[in-house]
Amino acid sequence: MVEPVQEYRLVLVTGPSGAGRTTAINALEDMGYEVIDNLPLSFVPRLIEGPSIGRPIALGLDVRNRDFNATALIELIDTLTQDPRVSLEVLYIDCSASELIRRYNQTRRRHPLAPAETPSEGVEREIDLLAPIRARADHLIDTSEMSPHDLKSDLAHWFDRGAATRLAVSVQSFSYKRGVPRGVDMIFDCRFLKNPYWVESLRSLDGRDAAVADYIGSDPRFAPFFGKLCDLVLFLLPAQLQEGKAHLSIGFGCTGGQHRSVAVAERLGNVLAEAGWPVSKRHRELERRAAAVLPTHQGEKA
């Protein structure tokens, strides 16, 4: 059976107001993308009903959209993901709450979700509203300490159409308790490795900590597993590139998404980067926990 040919590369660009979404949209347009900003969500499916325009499309979506809501956007992502004609990527331009508040105070602009209130109230509402969408993002770029030039450079790394010999690789960790993330091309279960959770001195740390990584690496099964993993991935990447694939996502799961999956994802990401592949690393459960403990009313404290 012949699989349907993907006719559309579609990038949905979203994120909190003030994080740099407009800069990202403009950068993608400079790279040759057909850019449409704030198209109503209900109109998006109509884009793929007609003939392909021959170049990728970037859609800017934010809370100013007249029919924007998180549930509708997630449903749209689900619909487009299941369409064999569409190669969909969700780009989330993120920023810390304290930096967003500083930017609003500096420019003296009103926040779209709090036009009659302080910017901090609008920032907090928008972060809460966008949290489910952030969790679904394929690419997450935090601009808290970035200049517009830095953001454009990072985007070029992933989306520049002129980089024909580049395959972007995303390596991410997740918790099986929360289910397998969508859109991941390859998934490896790390629950067979020794679990640092049962070591009291390591329990509060995560897989990015050297002590945790060393503990996991001391498992006799780790070295042969990781060696075969690297051989497999390094074999597949050139083949995927040859077939015209622009992005490959590799996921690692463990029970809590804190120790084993994080350590393996970090280590593989470093190996691939050393081999010359453009790699981004993401740890879904660690991000979720960090967002859950975000202090409230940071603007008043800033």
Side-chain angles (χ1 to χ4, degrees):
M1 180 178 179
V2 178
E3 295 185 0
V5 176
Q6 289 184 331
E7 300 175 0
Y8 298 89
R9 183 184 183 189
L10 186 60
V11 180
L12 300 184
V13 186
T14 190
S17 305
R21 190 190 59 83
T22 300
T23 299
I25 282 289
N26 291 338
L28 290 171
E29 186 172 29
D30 291 341
M31 295 177 204
Y33 285 71
E34 179 78 15
V35 169
I36 306 173
D37 199 11
N38 268 323
L39 181 72
L41 296 183
S42 57
F43 290 3
V44 175
R46 302 183 190 181
L47 283 175
I48 59 175
E49 295 305 321
S52 173
I53 62 174
R55 56 176 172 156
I57 302 172
L59 298 181
L61 303 170
D62 67 17
V63 295
R64 296 172 300 160
N65 191 297
R66 72 184 186 193
D67 59 356
F68 184 94
N69 69 76
T71 301
L73 181 50
I74 289 175
E75 290 176 352
L76 175 64
I77 292 171
D78 288 340
T79 299
L80 294 174
T81 299
Q82 295 167 10
D83 192 321
R85 297 170 297 173
V86 179
S87 174
L88 177 68
E89 296 168 86
V90 179
L91 169 62
Y92 191 97
I93 306 299
D94 201 12
C95 187
S96 69
S98 57
E99 175 60 18
L100 288 172
I101 293 167
R102 188 195 69 80
R103 293 176 185 180
Y104 269 98
N105 288 336
Q106 187 176 50
T107 61
R108 300 184 183 276
R109 296 188 63 192
R110 297 182 183 274
H111 194 281
L113 292 186
E117 300 167 284
T118 63
S120 61
E121 292 172 284
V123 167
E124 290 169 15
R125 287 174 191 159
E126 190 170 24
I127 288 175
D128 288 341
L129 175 67
L130 296 177
I133 302 166
R134 184 182 188 276
R136 295 291 300 276
D138 299 299
H139 306 279
L140 191 150
I141 300 178
D142 190 331
T143 67
S144 301
E145 299 181 4
M146 278 187 175
S147 68
H149 175 77
D150 293 333
L151 174 56
K152 291 176 182 178
S153 177
D154 218 19
L155 289 167
H157 179 77
W158 293 104
F159 296 99
D160 188 356
R161 298 177 65 221
T165 60
R166 181 182 298 141
L167 172 68
V169 184
S170 170
V171 179
Q172 56 184 280
S173 63
F174 65 90
S175 166
Y176 273 105
K177 289 181 178 179
R178 301 189 181 278
V180 176
R182 295 174 181 265
V184 179
D185 298 295
M186 303 167 61
I187 290 179
F188 297 91
D189 189 341
C190 299
R191 288 175 291 186
F192 69 93
L193 295 169
K194 289 199 304 184
N195 191 353
Y197 178 85
W198 302 113
V199 180
E200 187 174 354
S201 61
L202 302 178
R203 182 171 298 176
S204 62
L205 305 176
D206 63 62
R208 297 170 297 185
D209 190 281
V212 173
D214 289 344
Y215 178 83
I216 296 169
S218 69
D219 188 325
R221 296 166 295 189
F222 179 83
F225 160 70
F226 191 75
K228 290 179 173 62
L229 171 67
C230 291
D231 288 343
L232 174 64
V233 174
L234 290 172
F235 169 78
L236 289 176
L237 290 183
Q240 297 283 0
L241 180 61
Q242 188 175 5
E243 287 300 308
K245 195 171 180 67
H247 176 262
L248 184 74
S249 178
I250 306 171
F252 296 94
C254 64
T255 306
Q258 177 181 343
H259 297 111
R260 293 167 288 182
S261 60
V262 173
V264 176
E266 283 285 324
R267 189 159 175 176
L268 180 65
N270 293 339
V271 168
L272 297 181
E274 290 173 3
W277 295 97
V279 181
S280 70
K281 292 182 285 189
R282 182 179 182 192
H283 304 298
R284 290 178 176 267
E285 184 64 15
L286 300 186
E287 291 173 7
R288 187 195 67 81
R289 295 182 185 183
V293 298
L294 184 70
T296 58
H297 302 294
Q298 293 189 38
E300 286 79 2
K301 298 178 182 179

